[in-house]
Amino acid sequence: MNPNFGLKLKQTQQLNQRLQQALRVLHMSNQDIEREVEDWLQENPLLERPESDEFSDAELNNSLSAALPRSNQIGGDDAEDAWLNVAEEEDFNAYLHAQVCEHPLSQTEAAHVHILIDFLDDQGYFSDSLSEVIDHTPLDWMLDEDDLQNALDILQTFDPPGVAAADITESLMLQLMRQPPSPERQLAGHLIQSSFEQLGKNRQQNIQRFQKMYPESTPESIQTALDLIASLNPYPAYGFASAEPTAYIQPDVWVRETADGWKVSGNEAAWPKIQINREYAELLQDIGDASPEWKEKLQEARQKIDSLELRKSTVIRLAEYIVERQEDFFIFGEIGLVPMLLKDAAAELELAESTISRAANQKYLACPRGLFALRYFFTQAVSTDSDNEGVSQGAVKAMLKQLVDSENAHKPHSDEALVQLLKQQGVEIARRTVAKYRESLGIPPAHKRKLIG
């Protein structure tokens, strides 16, 4: 017998309250952080909002160096490594994460489902491809498309119905499949899959139109099928806290063109400002040996101030990297986007990929072309017929839209024709990819674009 013995080293890290605070703050949107700061001000009397005639946070913090050592501040390798351990989620995501333990899953399956939940968009769709998930996660996770597909199938059984669908059509079909079987359900499925774009606001016109398309169905059956479709939720995430409509999105950073090129500046209105109350701080200094409770409040106040500063600097650094890497976008528009992955930014900024992901979460950039989420600028490459790094999906979509906009309305390009036209411009993609991009742009197929007469 030759027994095999193995020694496995496993490194774990327990986050203290200081680092947990910083990680939560980085992940928040500016609306969330504003509400969070209001809670801080209510809970800690040592914190206050600065007035124009108050001296700076830096000056006040320096005056308190004797009361609280700087060794308690966030920084160094410990802070960078801690970004890997973020587990703070929006309400909708938390609702899904909590369901994982309700299913009989292996540890690996559960981990994969957790990963996919984090890739859902604000509407509850899984609009990325599985290969994009692999490209945007650390290599040492060893993700496999087959395993992720299994996890996606599991996630699509979660509540709310329709979650993790690729688009509205698939979401409605997933919801429909949970309804009791009936001829009306079957008809509703046909309408969603083949005629969804033809659904209008006028119910009677819909019934008449579909009566011609499905002559074997009665008007009553069609009406029941339409009622069934109307009862479905087109956006699974709606109704949750993270999906509440926002009347106004305030950018986190501004991007402006100057004589020296494109420059990034923080939108000061989007960054909450707090400082330590001067009177209380001076009183603590005069007392000298303050009670442990007040020392704890003082330490907590400084941690919160530091976490806001770290959040601001990290987001601005990321925005500066985006502007440098995607400069052509600000000049030419979407067609100027170049491939860029989270790991590219992580390597350049010497941060963990999860740091970049959290820093980009619900953060926005305003420029002369409009308001854009930071995540918008991260897009994978599409292969070309040259040896360069390829072009981004966003650029390919822009090229595709230009081709359709300039086509002969009486003889629109088929998907295969679009494949050949893109190939002439150095972009080689499959016909099914063209169809996928076309659908994501809301462009109907050629036979529906054709102008008759």
Side-chain angles (χ1 to χ4, degrees), residues 91-93 96 120-125 160-164 171 175 233-244:
D91 288 346
F92 177 66
N93 280 20
L96 294 172
L120 299 181
D121 63 22
D122 292 339
Q123 296 173 335
Y125 292 151
V163 68
S171 181
Q175 296 175 55
N233 183 3
Y235 305 110
Y238 277 19
F240 290 84
S242 60
E244 290 177 355

Side-chain angles (χ1 to χ4, degrees), residues 50-66:
E51 298 179 3
S52 57
D53 58 347
E54 294 284 345
F55 56 83
S56 69
D57 293 347
E59 292 172 331
L60 184 55
N61 284 340
N62 288 337
S63 71
L64 292 169
S65 58

Side-chain angles (χ1 to χ4, degrees), residues 173-201:
M173 288 301 297
L174 288 172
Q175 296 175 55
L176 198 61
M177 291 303 101
R178 299 198 191 186
Q179 301 289 334
S182 68
E184 289 74 22
R185 189 190 81 167
Q186 185 177 13
L187 177 59
H190 285 305
L191 295 178
I192 291 172
Q193 290 183 307
S194 63
S195 309
F196 184 70
E197 294 179 354
Q198 300 179 34
L199 284 174
K201 295 182 178 180

Side-chain angles (χ1 to χ4, degrees), residues 399-408 413 418 438 443 449:
M399 295 165 66
L400 184 62
K401 187 175 187 303
Q402 287 182 356
L403 291 172
V404 172
D405 289 343
S406 61
E407 69 185 2
N408 184 339
H413 301 306
L418 291 170
R438 174 176 54 72
I443 300 173
R449 301 199 307 271

Side-chain angles (χ1 to χ4, degrees), residues 388-404:
N388 58 29
E389 62 180 354
V391 295
S392 72
Q393 289 183 1
V396 174
K397 289 181 180 180
M399 295 165 66
L400 184 62
K401 187 175 187 303
Q402 287 182 356
L403 291 172
V404 172

